Amino acid sequence: MSAETATYPAYERLMADLETLGARYRVIEHEPEGQTELVSALRGNELKAAAKCIVVMVKLGKKKSHYVLAVVPGDARVDLNGIKELLGGSYVAFADKARAEELAGSVSGTVLPVSYHEQLELIVDPKLLEVPELFFNAARLDRSLALVTEDYVRLAQPRIETITS
């Protein structure tokens, strides 16, 4: 299936939400790429303005898992132990690829910095919100968005916590 005929429900939902919100954004088309450093070079943005999105699983006791969509600047590393402590967990790890893609509604490398799944808590590091405009793959490898940060916060309504190491 080509990019022209493929459907992208997460992308379409995001675009509809941005229009409803009256958000200020730009669509950036580029060669398919999902790695933060490489796609930032294609888009021409600084790494600190790239929203790196990682799905993390935190064990809360023996039988309960909690999933977090951790969003950090592209030049930072997510602090897994910090997330574990923040949530009072007993174990933390990156979510397995299949579960991460299911919760995010898109493939790895295209995860939105917005959660559309009730089992995926959105936590954003405050350092990311220091830039005037955020850049991220828009649930597609061939398309990114540059979104005004204050409009991102209005749309995503994230929990803001320090989650970088």
Side-chain angles (χ1 to χ4, degrees):
M1 188 181 301
S2 74
E4 311 316 317
T5 59
T7 61
Y8 299 94
Y11 172 78
E12 291 159 11
R13 181 170 179 184
L14 173 67
M15 297 309 288
D17 287 350
L18 291 171
E19 289 303 316
T20 299
L21 188 68
R24 294 158 290 172
Y25 67 92
R26 296 178 284 124
V27 175
I28 303 166
E29 294 187 17
H30 50 75
E31 289 299 312
E33 181 54 61
Q35 291 184 6
T36 303
E37 295 80 9
L38 298 176
V39 75
S40 290
L42 291 173
R43 294 186 298 231
N45 62 271
E46 290 184 83
L47 271 177
K48 69 180 183 180
K52 185 163 46 176
C53 306
I54 300 157
V55 180
V56 176
M57 184 270 306
V58 181
K59 288 277 189 191
L60 304 173
K62 291 203 185 283
K63 295 188 179 180
K64 185 165 192 244
S65 294
H66 184 79
Y67 290 90
V68 169
L69 174 54
V71 184
V72 300
D75 62 353
R77 294 180 65 103
V78 67
D79 179 4
L80 291 177
N81 284 325
I83 292 172
K84 180 177 82 171
E85 290 172 17
L86 184 66
L87 298 178
S90 57
Y91 174 80
V92 66
F94 296 113
D96 71 72
K97 185 177 177 182
R99 185 69 173 138
E101 290 179 353
E102 173 193 345
L103 291 169
S106 63
V107 300
S108 292
T110 70
V111 174
L112 295 172
V114 175
S115 177
Y116 287 125
H117 198 291
E118 73 238 358
Q119 293 177 13
L120 187 61
E121 180 183 7
L122 174 62
I123 302 178
V124 176
D125 192 271
K127 283 188 175 82
L128 181 65
L129 305 178
E130 293 173 1
V131 296
E133 191 174 47
L134 300 180
F135 294 81
F136 56 91
N137 272 15
R140 300 175 55 149
L141 287 170
D142 64 348
R143 197 161 293 174
S144 291
L145 288 187
L147 175 59
V148 170
T149 303
E150 79 180 36
D151 289 342
Y152 164 70
V153 172
R154 282 193 308 142
L155 170 73
Q157 299 181 353
R159 176 175 176 178
I160 300 168
E161 301 281 356
T162 299
I163 55 170
T164 53
S165 52

